[in-house]
Amino acid sequence: MTDREPPDEFNAVNETVGDEWGADTTPYERIRDVITHTYTPAGADTIANDARTTPKTARKHLETLAKEGVVETTTSDHGATLYSW
């Protein structure tokens, strides 16, 4: 395994695909997609970053998913809420 960065053309493709994903989906859809592929508990900031939305929006949708029983919550050692599928 190496620590090399991918070539610029790969970064451009990734960014383009991410932009299209953001344009073609709602924040709720992206958050649900991200949390269903998150295998260790994660905070709203991390999920928001991966879902291309704000932490406030991520937290709102994650709390809704938690109330519906779709997402589990735990508390980190520092008191932050973590979410997992």
Side-chain angles (χ1 to χ4, degrees), residues 21-55:
W21 183 53
D24 294 342
T25 57
T26 66
Y28 175 82
E29 291 169 327
R30 294 191 305 276
I31 289 163
R32 189 173 173 104
D33 188 46
V34 168
I35 194 66
T36 60
H37 294 92
T38 301
Y39 300 103
T40 57
D45 290 354
T46 300
I47 295 166
N49 186 54
D50 292 348
R52 295 178 170 245
T53 191
T54 66

Side-chain angles (χ1 to χ4, degrees), residues 2-81:
T2 65
D3 292 334
R4 296 184 321 180
E5 288 291 318
D8 288 339
E9 60 267 16
F10 288 122
N11 289 329
V13 168
N14 288 340
E15 191 63 31
T16 299
V17 170
D19 290 345
E20 289 174 1
W21 183 53
D24 294 342
T25 57
T26 66
Y28 175 82
E29 291 169 327
R30 294 191 305 276
I31 289 163
R32 189 173 173 104
D33 188 46
V34 168
I35 194 66
T36 60
H37 294 92
T38 301
Y39 300 103
T40 57
D45 290 354
T46 300
I47 295 166
N49 186 54
D50 292 348
R52 295 178 170 245
T53 191
T54 66
K56 182 178 178 180
T57 298
R59 204 168 285 108
K60 176 182 82 171
H61 292 306
L62 289 164
E63 287 300 319
T64 298
L65 290 167
K67 288 177 186 172
E68 293 172 352
V70 176
V71 170
E72 295 182 8
T73 61
T74 56
T75 304
S76 74
D77 294 339
H78 302 289
T81 301

